[in-house]
Amino acid sequence: MSTDRHIVLEDVRKAFGPKHVLNGVTVDVERGKSLVVIGGSGTGKSVMLKCILGLLDPDSGSIKIDDREVVGLRGSDRDAVMAKMGMLFQGAALFDSLTVWENVAFGLIQGKKMNRKDAKEIAIQKLGQVGLGAEVGELSPAELSGGMQKRVGLARAIAADPDIIFFDEPTTGLDPIMGDVINDLIVHTVQELGATTVSITHDMTSARKIADKIAMIYKGEMIWHGDAKDVDESGSDYVEQFIHGSADGPIQMEVLKP
Amino acid sequence: MWNNGGLSPLNFLAVIGQVVLAAFADVGRLSQFLYNSVMHCILPPIYPRLIFEQMVRIGYNSLPVVGLTAFFTGGVLALQIFIGGSRFNAESLVSSIVALGITRELGPVLAGLMVAGRVSAAIAAEIGTMRVTEQIDALVTLSTNPFKYLVAPRLIAALVTLPLLVVVADTIGIMGGYIVGTRSLGFNSGVYIKNTVDFIEFIDIFSGLAKSAVFGFIIALMGCYHGFYSRGGAQGVGRATTNAVVTASILILAANYVMTSLLFTE
Ligand SMILES: Nc1ncnc2c1ncn2[C@@H]1O[C@H](COP(=O)(O)OP(=O)(O)OP(=O)(O)O)[C@@H](O)[C@H]1O
Ligand SMILES: [Mg+2]
């Protein structure tokens, strides 16, 4: 095992009451690479990210970051791991009591104890990178459209230059052009900062563009894992069906047929 | 579950068991929450700016409600004591008893209950919304402890602000009694004031303020606790808000009894 594995999940399981969401997820991400996780709605992708971040405790299994077991980590050890990570939430999760720039600068001011003036400068620069002008910085999140909120969430996730960044559906709710700008930004962030990223997306164009590796999750398990360029010859019916977005195939949606 | 003899003795015991276990789980969770909150109130860093913001929201914005409540209560107290006192020819006690009743009991308790309705609900709604929209998770990922950033400032602010509000409530309450006493019950203004000032003791005021600090803590704690553990979207936040107000009010009345018996039994 000569490659430098930054994040390693082994047999991670998580249930909410009787509902088994993760049924033994095993996956790893190399340092400085980008993993894209694809999979149907409700298959546990967001839950997986929250387990890696430590927002949820897995029921069993192991999660290693920098070769260090992080499951059950508490206190200052947990803080040290958390300081290296950034997250874009699926619903943006902006603090609505703060202005947009304060949101972006939050990790710098509260987490890194930077003074407000310097933090604001960085925040406005990051907002620029996601295509939002300085004047947007003074608005409150409630005054933004869904897509703008998403981009502010993205700016907030990358503001503190973390080692590991999680993007939960970064391009959902954006028009195709802005979606591509965001894809470029993610690729750039990975190259520039050398960050390791895990992204969740339903958008195959985006996945092909930003992924070094692609993994597909189905019913709480990783059913396929490989290089992004191999995704078209995956040999898996599930992956085939997903990337072509076809209703016919092994994945059956539980819906009533009209 | 229901059709195989819902009332058999074993089922009945199982239900009791579940209820008791759930109650213990709740108490355990609350104790843990209380411990975490208090630790974060005591240990640095403390955020003065956030505490000040909360003091304005809790204290300043509650002034009209608390003032009006106190004013009418003082007035009605004067009327009732006058009527009751006249049966024993003891009308002259009105001013002293109004002062005593307001400072010891009615000022702190009514201010506590009114603020519980306003502030517990507001805190639970705000923190509950932050919970269900993942803002609390986002705080954690930005290396900020929600206890430090959200809970501690509210607890400290409420603990400090409630006694200040009660000072105002006491003053306005006594004034309400004075206005009713002098305007409609025919007391002489100078005598009324002299009776009030002569009769009232330090312990009367102090005990009321001590109680109100505890009430403030209860108000913020219940708001934060129910908000923090709210689940399930807007409906869950609504439930958290109601529960916060109800539990805060009941705990205030219970704490009032306990503290009164501790402070005044010798
Ligand atoms: N806190 C929770 N409590 C109970 N169940 C939960 C919780 N969080 C997630 N779930 C359940 O776990 C399952 C997976 O949720 P998750 O959010 O990971 O889906 P997802 O793969 O991200 O889907 P989508 O693509 O729609 O975002 C869902 O069925 C959801 O109901
Ligand atoms: Mg999701």
Side-chain angles (χ1 to χ4, degrees):
Chain A
M1 209 136 302
S2 57
T3 53
D4 182 5
R5 298 191 303 167
H6 200 175
I7 308 172
V8 183
L9 274 73
E10 255 166 65
D11 199 29
V12 173
R13 289 166 193 276
K14 176 76 188 170
F16 294 101
K19 182 166 188 167
H20 294 269
V21 178
L22 300 180
N23 295 312
V25 170
T26 299
V27 69
D28 58 71
V29 197
E30 282 171 45
R31 187 177 305 278
K33 297 285 179 192
S34 162
L35 171 74
V36 167
V37 179
I38 57 174
S41 189
T43 48
K45 304 183 296 297
S46 299
V47 169
M48 183 185 82
L49 287 194
K50 285 181 187 170
C51 286
I52 304 177
L53 276 160
L55 296 173
L56 292 172
D57 280 322
D59 300 331
S60 67
S62 139
I63 299 173
K64 289 203 175 82
I65 294 175
D66 285 323
D67 287 325
R68 174 174 196 193
E69 181 62 51
V70 296
V71 172
L73 221 52
R74 292 280 181 272
S76 56
D77 294 336
R78 165 62 68 194
D79 295 344
V81 175
M82 198 59 100
K84 289 191 265 179
M85 302 195 278
M87 164 92 178
L88 164 64
F89 285 84
Q90 191 168 359
L94 302 179
F95 307 126
D96 36 33
S97 57
L98 302 177
T99 63
V100 166
W101 82 261
E102 285 173 323
N103 264 280
V104 177
F106 194 91
L108 300 170
I109 296 172
Q110 294 295 337
K112 298 204 166 173
K113 311 291 171 213
M114 190 184 277
N115 72 53
R116 285 174 71 84
K117 194 166 154 289
D118 295 345
K120 183 168 185 176
E121 237 163 68
I122 295 179
I124 289 182
Q125 181 208 337
K126 299 286 174 185
L127 282 172
Q129 289 183 7
V130 295
L132 297 171
E135 71 286 352
V136 177
E138 303 298 333
L139 301 178
S140 92
E143 295 173 276
L144 305 183
S145 75
M148 286 164 91
Q149 290 183 3
K150 201 79 193 223
R151 286 186 276 158
V152 174
L154 193 95
R156 185 175 71 180
I158 62 174
D161 295 339
D163 288 349
I164 302 174
I165 318 177
F166 302 100
F167 299 106
D168 199 342
E169 306 195 4
T171 54
T172 305
L174 301 181
D175 64 87
I177 301 169
M178 188 46 77
D180 203 48
V181 171
I182 297 302
N183 290 337
D184 283 339
L185 177 69
I186 294 175
V187 172
H188 174 82
T189 312
V190 176
Q191 285 168 353
E192 191 96 324
L193 300 174
T196 305
T197 63
V198 180
S199 317
I200 291 174
T201 187
H202 299 292
D203 169 1
M204 282 314 294
T205 325
S206 170
R208 287 173 207 277
K209 186 145 185 184
I210 62 184
D212 295 310
K213 301 261 185 184
I214 292 182
M216 173 146 174
I217 191 169
Y218 179 65
K219 294 202 169 160
E221 279 176 73
M222 286 297 174
I223 55 162
W224 187 80
H225 183 194
D227 285 339
K229 57 183 185 332
D230 297 336
V231 72
D232 291 308
E233 294 99 38
S234 62
S236 158
D237 295 342
Y238 292 92
V239 178
E240 280 293 302
Q241 187 191 349
F242 191 87
I243 62 180
H244 295 119
S246 152
D248 297 319
I251 308 174
Q252 286 303 320
M253 294 288 166
E254 282 159 17
V255 291
L256 288 174
K257 292 271 153 58
Chain B
M1 256 194 110
W2 294 110
N3 50 13
N4 61 7
L7 283 176
S8 81
L10 268 182
N11 254 347
F12 182 64
L13 287 180
V15 169
I16 292 184
Q18 276 166 5
V19 170
V20 170
L21 282 181
F24 272 115
D26 259 349
V27 170
R29 195 171 69 167
L30 178 58
S31 314
Q32 183 75 42
F33 188 87
L34 180 65
Y35 173 79
N36 277 334
S37 310
V38 171
M39 290 318 277
H40 283 282
C41 286
I42 299 169
L43 299 175
I46 307 282
Y47 297 120
R49 209 168 72 107
L50 294 176
I51 296 176
F52 180 74
E53 248 175 59
Q54 292 301 324
M55 284 180 70
V56 171
R57 287 175 59 182
I58 297 171
Y60 184 71
N61 297 342
S62 298
L63 276 174
V65 181
V66 169
L68 283 172
T69 313
F71 182 82
F72 289 118
T73 308
V76 94
L77 204 57
L79 280 178
Q80 292 284 22
I81 294 165
F82 184 78
I83 295 164
S86 67
R87 295 181 191 162
F88 311 98
N89 290 324
E91 299 95 329
S92 58
L93 285 179
V94 168
S95 61
S96 347
I97 297 184
V98 167
L100 201 72
I102 292 282
T103 53
R104 281 194 171 198
E105 280 300 325
L106 295 170
V109 171
L110 288 178
L113 290 177
M114 297 310 278
V115 177
R118 269 195 80 243
V119 173
S120 285
I123 292 178
E126 186 181 14
I127 295 188
T129 306
M130 292 187 74
R131 163 64 72 197
V132 301
T133 56
E134 298 184 321
Q135 290 178 50
I136 293 187
D137 287 340
L139 269 184
V140 175
T141 66
L142 295 165
S143 299
T144 303
N145 189 311
F147 280 95
K148 193 109 252 167
Y149 186 79
L150 295 174
V151 178
R154 284 167 174 76
L155 283 176
I156 296 174
L159 186 92
V160 178
T161 312
L162 253 273
L164 299 178
L165 275 174
V166 167
V167 170
V168 175
D170 286 355
T171 315
I172 295 180
I174 291 175
M175 209 173 71
Y178 166 82
I179 288 174
V180 171
T182 52
R183 293 288 149 83
S184 63
L185 303 178
F187 284 98
N188 173 287
S189 157
V191 175
Y192 192 100
I193 294 174
K194 186 174 182 314
N195 277 345
T196 305
V197 175
D198 284 354
F199 190 75
I200 206 157
E201 284 175 25
F202 174 72
I203 181 75
D204 300 326
I205 298 172
F206 174 78
S207 67
L209 298 186
K211 282 178 180 179
S212 64
V214 173
F215 298 165
F217 188 82
I218 291 174
I219 288 168
L221 183 72
M222 286 299 109
C224 293
Y225 172 74
H226 287 284
F228 206 80
Y229 289 105
S230 60
R231 287 279 110 85
Q235 203 185 16
V237 175
R239 223 172 14 240
T241 310
T242 316
N243 288 342
V245 176
V246 172
T247 49
S249 307
I250 292 173
L251 285 178
I252 284 175
L253 295 173
N256 182 44
Y257 177 78
V258 173
M259 290 188 67
T260 308
S261 55
L262 287 180
L263 280 163
F264 298 112
T265 44
E266 223 109 312

